[in-house]
Amino acid sequence: MYAYNEIVQMCLNKNIGVVDEYPIPGAAPSKAPANVRRGKGKVGSLHIVWEPLPPKDQHGWGIGYIVEWRLPRQDVRTENSWEKEFLPGNVSEFVTTIPGRNQYYVQYEVRVTAYNMFGVGRSSPIQYIQSADDIPVAVPNMVWVEAYNSTALMVHWTPVPNTRDSMKGRLQGYKVNYWLRYGEDENQATQASFNGQIEQALVIGLLPDTWYYVSVQVYNDAGNGQKSEKYPQKTFRRAPRMYPTEVHVHSYSSDSVMVSFRGVSTQVEEEPLQGYKIRVWETFDNSKQAYDIDVGRAVSGIVSGIKRHSVYKMRVLGYSRGGDGAMSSPPTLFTLGGYIFYDSSSTLVLPAISSATVSSSYIITIVLTKICLYLNTISLEI
């Protein structure tokens, strides 16, 4: 089967001309507008939005839309009449003012129909949408804050009722305002938004060992509600800034290794050391997939679940109430047999090409420049 352009080119090459073109008769739109939904708008208005028909579905000149809306029936014996508006052009929204007081977040039935010069098309299915929100009157209470680490605070509150009377619409979420207790006022507050009906939020990116004021407020499509009472809280001092050194790895059992290292001490501006973590991940995994082994205040620990013929990376860090401290550097490379001595500036470690006859993955270590590489113990199976 030839494409249309190829057929035309064949006709031209044979000097037989192009087949005559015939216009296709127009018709009313065959498809109903899709994705009829609620817009935002201002309080006292009904904002209706839909997807306009693409040219291939318009079927003629003079495209336009009929937008209809009404209040839902209150009982089976009565039905409200449709309000109707004709909109010329391939538009995608319509806003009408709703008369009367307290017309915020009122439910309506709406439908949209496309038309053109040949007639009226099919109406969209009836959708139930609400008029625009008003400013919420609810205020979060029982706000309290606790230090999370040196740069974050955990903020708690009692959620507000997500009702029409309290929210004057639909709750979108909460906003946490925070500012320095000394040196800033509330007008200089930074605001963090959190979606949904929640009762706590983590505020990050703060200064260590610093006092803050915190307040909370709700928000909807119309705007923000009133702020809660402010609550003071101080972040913890810094996490350990020194990192463990002299990290050594030795074979321990058939699936584990022994790790030892030299610990760290903390300074006055840092929180007291609580313990150490050994962070481990496979060489070819992302470091975000690492898992931690908490060894407490000990300067050694066992890492279990190590697979044969796999190479791992490890970093060791101290932690405190201030958070995780600096990690040992560079990462320690090891296998089930123990530590791998290598020069990270001149060595590239790559996975071997898989084979159907090989039951487990092997590691190829490519020496790019001068290097001394050896494994304490490793067995390979062919």
Side-chain angles (χ1 to χ4, degrees):
M1 179 179 292
Y2 292 100
Y4 175 79
N5 289 339
E6 293 175 336
I7 295 175
V8 171
Q9 189 61 45
M10 290 170 59
C11 293
L12 293 175
N13 292 341
K14 296 181 178 180
N15 297 318
I16 61 176
V18 180
V19 178
D20 292 338
E21 296 182 358
Y22 295 92
I24 299 175
S30 60
K31 291 186 177 182
N35 197 18
V36 178
R37 61 198 186 275
R38 176 187 188 235
K40 291 187 177 181
K42 298 181 179 179
V43 62
S45 67
L46 179 65
H47 187 193
I48 305 168
V49 182
W50 62 91
E51 300 298 329
L53 294 182
K56 66 184 181 67
D57 294 328
Q58 295 176 14
H59 299 332
W61 299 101
I63 189 69
Y65 296 91
I66 305 169
V67 181
E68 300 173 276
W69 67 98
R70 68 182 180 186
L71 290 169
R73 62 171 64 189
Q74 300 299 316
D75 55 63
V76 295
R77 295 172 297 176
T78 62
E79 186 173 67
N80 297 310
S81 59
W82 290 99
E83 299 284 344
K84 186 181 298 186
E85 187 76 22
F86 286 81
L87 305 175
N90 199 28
V91 295
S92 62
E93 62 180 343
F94 170 72
V95 181
T96 184
T97 300
I98 307 299
R101 300 182 60 186
N102 299 325
Q103 292 302 309
Y104 57 86
Y105 206 65
V106 177
Q107 188 178 71
Y108 285 84
E109 294 179 338
V110 301
R111 65 186 181 189
V112 182
T113 308
Y115 69 88
N116 62 20
M117 63 182 296
F118 297 100
V120 177
R122 295 190 301 136
S123 297
S124 66
I126 293 176
Q127 301 293 327
Y128 292 88
I129 67 173
Q130 288 76 26
S131 58
D133 296 358
D134 200 353
I135 298 297
V137 296
V139 182
N141 55 32
M142 302 295 291
V143 175
W144 63 281
V145 185
E146 61 179 330
Y148 185 80
N149 58 30
S150 62
T151 60
L153 295 173
M154 182 65 78
V155 186
H156 306 264
W157 62 85
T158 300
V160 303
N162 189 12
T163 63
R164 181 176 181 269
D165 290 338
S166 295
M167 286 303 304
K168 301 290 186 178
R170 179 177 55 191
L171 181 142
Q172 294 294 322
Y174 293 83
K175 293 185 178 181
V176 177
N177 311 287
Y178 56 95
W179 63 100
L180 294 174
R181 184 175 183 178
Y182 305 108
E184 289 185 342
D185 57 39
E186 193 169 0
N187 294 329
Q188 297 173 283
T190 301
Q191 192 172 76
S193 299
F194 301 91
N195 296 330
Q197 178 65 295
I198 56 177
E199 59 185 22
Q200 64 181 28
L202 183 65
V203 177
I204 62 175
L206 307 180
L207 298 173
D209 196 22
T210 303
W211 280 98
Y212 286 87
Y213 275 128
V214 179
S215 66
V216 184
Q217 61 192 136
V218 296
Y219 70 96
N220 62 16
D221 282 340
N224 302 331
Q226 183 179 344
K227 296 175 183 177
S228 69
E229 292 293 326
K230 62 185 179 182
Y231 189 99
Q233 185 54 270
K234 185 181 183 183
T235 54
F236 286 129
R237 288 174 289 173
R238 295 181 182 275
R241 288 189 288 184
M242 299 295 293
Y243 56 83
T245 58
E246 300 179 23
V247 179
H248 300 287
V249 185
H250 305 281
S251 179
Y252 186 76
S253 72
S254 60
D255 69 343
S256 63
V257 294
M258 167 75 77
V259 181
S260 62
F261 51 89
R262 183 176 182 178
V264 301
S265 58
T266 55
Q267 306 300 315
V268 175
E269 67 274 14
E270 301 168 6
E271 289 289 332
L273 182 74
Q274 291 181 315
Y276 297 96
K277 296 177 183 178
I278 301 173
R279 184 160 295 169
V280 178
W281 69 98
E282 289 196 54
T283 304
F284 306 112
D285 286 342
N286 191 298
S287 61
K288 293 181 179 180
Q289 297 176 282
Y291 60 93
D292 291 344
I293 298 94
D294 191 330
V295 298
R297 295 294 296 269
V299 291
S300 64
I302 306 298
V303 179
S304 302
I306 302 301
K307 296 180 291 187
R308 299 180 66 188
H309 313 313
S310 293
V311 175
Y312 292 83
K313 286 184 178 180
M314 171 197 305
R315 302 183 79 172
V316 184
L317 58 98
Y319 67 89
S320 67
R321 295 193 307 173
D324 288 349
M327 295 186 289
S328 58
S329 182
T332 300
L333 201 65
F334 73 97
T335 68
L336 189 57
Y339 176 65
I340 299 176
F341 293 89
Y342 76 106
D343 181 356
S344 60
S345 65
S346 58
T347 306
L348 178 64
V349 181
L350 298 174
I353 300 175
S354 60
S355 171
T357 61
V358 180
S359 59
S360 60
S361 63
Y362 287 82
I363 305 300
I364 298 176
T365 303
I366 301 177
V367 181
L368 301 179
T369 59
K370 58 182 181 179
I371 181 171
C372 177
L373 170 64
Y374 68 89
L375 303 178
N376 288 342
T377 308
I378 187 169
S379 61
L380 300 177
E381 296 180 357
I382 304 287

